[in-house]
Amino acid sequence: MSNLETEYHSNDFDWEELKERIEDDPTLAYHFDPFTPQSSSPSSLDSQSWNQFHARHSTGKFFKERRYLFKEFPELVSCGEYSKVLEVGCGNGSTALPILRCKENILVFACDCSTEALDRATEIIYASNVASARSRFRPFCWDFSTCRFPKWLICDSCYETSLQKPNSEGDSTDITSLKKSECCIGGMDFVTLIFTLSAVPLHRMSIAVAECFSVLKPGGLLFFRDYGLYDMTMLRFDADQRVGFREYKRSDGTRSYFFSLDIARELFLSVGFIEVELEYCCVKSVNRRKQKTMHRVWIHGKFQKPM
Ligand SMILES: C[S@@+](CC[C@H](N)C(=O)[O-])C[C@H]1O[C@@H](n2cnc3c(N)ncnc32)[C@H](O)[C@@H]1O
């Protein structure tokens, strides 16, 4: 067993006990007040905020590969050759890079609403020592909460058409340089939604999840990991940062929602997914310098598109 595996833990405390403690604390009561949403901001503003966020955090220091992915989602390792993954909201590539690294022939399509994020991810992945990362990493700019995913992710006939279209140099286009078995044959084997859905306004989440469902092959899996209700970072938001019930806006304009199991279940099952796994992941960590214990809550989900 590697060090990373021995260090991995996800059940350090009981979520119900944490809930009780937090709901009994009068200083935190404002988090549970009912909330009447005001008019929502245009989606272009959300993308702008994320662009600025990625421009500010452009150094490699901010980049951290999510190695726990394979412990939580071992299907990414056991899958067949030329499996296709869509990483939605890829940021600087913290999820895309380990997936490309773990499997020699896996293809990773990666979208983000921020062009800055895509530039960072591309730089980091191209600079990595991962074999054929350039041809297996396929970034594209997309807001999946307002636009339908491009047809070429899912449609056989779009693929056939693209085969017939040489580019200006007379070569085949990028996408046609792959064998048919490697791309566009009726959808994705996997969709990863890792700390992305929480950034989408609650009223657009259902459409966004339905889009993810639409690009999966029958039997395909969606891997979900995000902020869970009563995570330490939720409790740090001030009352004036609330923009909805369990929904907050940071001072830089980016948003964060905190999921309960019930809300996550409702979002995924209402668009047609089958629940395979759904639970809170509760991790206690200690900041030795500040002598503080931090209670982190994440939500872990695995959902399947019916056969
Ligand atoms: C916290 S980062 C997560 C990045 C990555 N999934 C990872 O594992 O590190 C969230 C990303 O979602 C992107 N994002 C936010 N809203 C989006 C939307 N509506 N469509 C596409 N990407 C979005 C942001 O630009 C940001 O890069």
Side-chain angles (χ1 to χ4, degrees):
M1 206 186 255
S2 74
N3 283 343
L4 286 165
E5 278 172 304
T6 38
E7 275 167 22
Y8 184 81
H9 48 138
S10 60
N11 216 350
D12 291 346
F13 57 89
D14 183 57
W15 185 83
E16 290 293 339
E17 274 174 28
L18 177 75
K19 171 182 186 284
E20 215 168 288
R21 195 154 45 76
I22 286 166
E23 291 184 359
D24 282 349
D25 184 339
T27 66
L28 299 174
Y30 64 87
H31 290 286
F32 321 117
D33 290 341
F35 195 94
T36 319
Q38 287 107 46
S39 59
S40 52
S41 56
S43 60
S44 56
L45 271 186
D46 298 334
S47 308
Q48 249 176 48
S49 304
W50 277 108
N51 248 337
Q52 284 158 7
F53 171 92
H54 287 293
R56 264 197 323 277
H57 297 101
S58 60
T59 64
K61 245 173 40 185
F62 190 65
F63 176 81
K64 206 167 179 198
E65 285 190 45
R66 297 192 190 277
R67 292 180 194 273
Y68 60 77
L69 282 176
F70 309 118
K71 188 89 180 162
E72 295 278 359
F73 307 118
E75 295 84 351
L76 287 168
V77 183
S78 61
C79 61
E81 298 251 304
Y82 302 110
S83 291
K84 288 172 292 162
V85 182
L86 173 63
E87 163 43 358
V88 180
C90 65
N92 59 12
S94 302
T95 292
L97 181 57
I99 296 176
L100 286 162
R101 196 194 296 288
C102 87
K103 198 92 189 170
E104 209 173 294
N105 291 319
I106 209 162
L107 279 174
V108 179
F109 296 84
C111 75
D112 203 287
C113 63
S114 153
T115 50
E116 283 284 341
L118 293 162
D119 288 349
R120 290 293 90 71
T122 307
E123 273 166 26
I124 288 173
I125 287 171
Y126 282 15
S128 73
N129 55 359
V130 172
S132 62
R134 280 173 191 254
S135 62
R136 294 188 293 122
F137 178 62
R138 308 187 157 260
F140 61 103
C141 190
W142 212 263
D143 180 340
F144 78 123
S145 72
T146 55
C147 305
R148 309 226 50 189
F149 274 125
K151 279 270 194 308
W152 49 259
L153 280 176
I154 38 175
C155 169
D156 284 348
S157 60
C158 286
Y159 175 80
E160 297 296 347
T161 318
S162 72
L163 271 182
Q164 290 150 22
K165 264 193 226 146
N167 65 21
S168 53
E169 275 98 47
D171 300 331
S172 54
T173 56
D174 191 27
I175 210 151
T176 61
S177 65
L178 291 159
K179 285 190 229 108
K180 184 166 181 180
S181 64
E182 293 168 7
C183 125
C184 201
I185 49 160
M188 298 289 126
D189 297 281
F190 306 109
V191 167
T192 50
L193 256 185
I194 312 291
F195 294 99
T196 295
L197 196 58
S198 56
V200 171
L202 182 62
H203 67 274
R204 292 210 298 268
M205 279 188 200
S206 185
I207 292 175
V209 172
E211 268 313 288
C212 296
F213 183 85
S214 76
V215 296
L216 272 171
K217 285 179 183 170
L221 288 168
L222 181 143
F223 300 137
F224 177 53
R225 187 156 177 113
D226 219 317
Y227 296 108
L229 187 58
Y230 305 134
D231 178 44
M232 173 200 91
T233 60
M234 169 177 169
L235 307 172
R236 278 183 180 167
F237 280 108
D238 293 328
D240 62 359
Q241 291 179 292
R242 291 182 82 208
V243 288
F245 189 60
R246 300 175 184 165
E247 224 178 344
Y248 302 83
K249 200 174 241 183
R250 301 182 186 91
S251 50
D252 64 6
T254 60
R255 341 171 40 113
S256 193
Y257 180 83
F258 293 83
F259 292 93
S260 65
L261 296 184
D262 290 347
I263 294 286
R265 182 170 288 124
E266 166 68 19
L267 273 169
F268 287 94
L269 270 51
S270 67
V271 305
F273 277 110
I274 298 166
E275 180 178 324
V276 181
E277 289 170 13
L278 185 63
E279 62 192 8
Y280 290 116
C281 169
C282 299
V283 174
K284 207 188 260 187
S285 61
V286 180
N287 183 327
R288 290 212 178 81
R289 199 168 48 85
K290 293 188 180 160
Q291 292 287 302
K292 271 206 159 157
T293 302
M294 297 180 286
H295 290 87
R296 300 307 314 264
V297 181
W298 294 293
I299 194 159
H300 160 93
K302 196 181 287 181
F303 297 94
Q304 187 166 37
K305 182 167 176 167
M307 285 292 183

